[in-house]
Amino acid sequence: MAIPESRKIFRNKAIATRVRAILEERFPQAFAPAGAEKKPLKIGMDADILLAMPELTRKGLACALADYTWGPTYCRHVLAGAARVGLDGEPCGHVSDAEAAYAADRMKLFTKRQPKPGQPEKEAAADG
């Protein structure tokens, strides 16, 4: 599964890190720190955040949300029927079967074994 073009646009780690820290501080019930268990976010969370924090830029918020939702810690919790949370941490909808399937496909990106230096790709794939 290749990284979608839309994902590549938002790969500014410095902006993402800065805005994520703001979101974690302002909305701790919704945004967990790096490495902590993450709950699936409400669909349309970006609009809610911009209403609550108009000082944030759309690009900065998009970078932060992409960074937050792209990794394995988030994806492993996007399961069919799991509750999504709003800014206050309260349930706001559920993960659909299609959304869970997409997250499972993304998890494959993180679980693929990379060949060790000098090891042919065929052998690395056989190990996993």
Side-chain angles (χ1 to χ4, degrees):
M1 176 183 206
I3 297 173
E5 281 301 314
S6 60
R7 170 70 177 134
K8 290 179 185 178
I9 293 169
F10 301 115
R11 293 191 92 174
N12 187 322
K13 191 66 173 173
I15 292 173
T17 301
R18 193 167 49 248
V19 176
R20 273 186 66 170
I22 293 167
L23 295 175
E24 290 167 16
E25 182 179 323
R26 177 84 185 267
F27 308 109
Q29 301 86 358
F31 291 93
E37 288 190 22
K38 296 176 173 72
K39 299 171 189 167
L41 299 176
K42 170 188 171 190
I43 300 295
M45 181 73 93
D46 56 335
D48 293 352
I49 294 168
L50 288 173
L51 283 174
M53 300 185 73
E55 66 274 16
L56 293 178
T57 65
R58 286 188 182 277
K59 180 181 179 183
L61 181 57
C63 288
L65 290 175
D67 185 60
Y68 189 84
T69 61
W70 184 255
T73 307
Y74 183 85
C75 290
R76 103 173 35 97
H77 292 94
V78 180
L79 304 170
R84 290 184 172 279
V85 297
L87 292 176
D88 58 2
E90 292 298 315
C92 276
H94 292 88
V95 175
S96 71
D97 291 340
E99 292 161 343
Y102 181 74
D105 282 346
R106 287 193 341 217
M107 281 300 293
K108 292 176 188 173
L109 291 173
F110 305 114
T111 57
K112 279 187 180 175
R113 291 190 114 180
Q114 298 298 318
K116 294 177 184 168
Q119 182 182 24
E121 285 189 38
K122 205 176 226 182
E123 289 179 29
D127 287 345

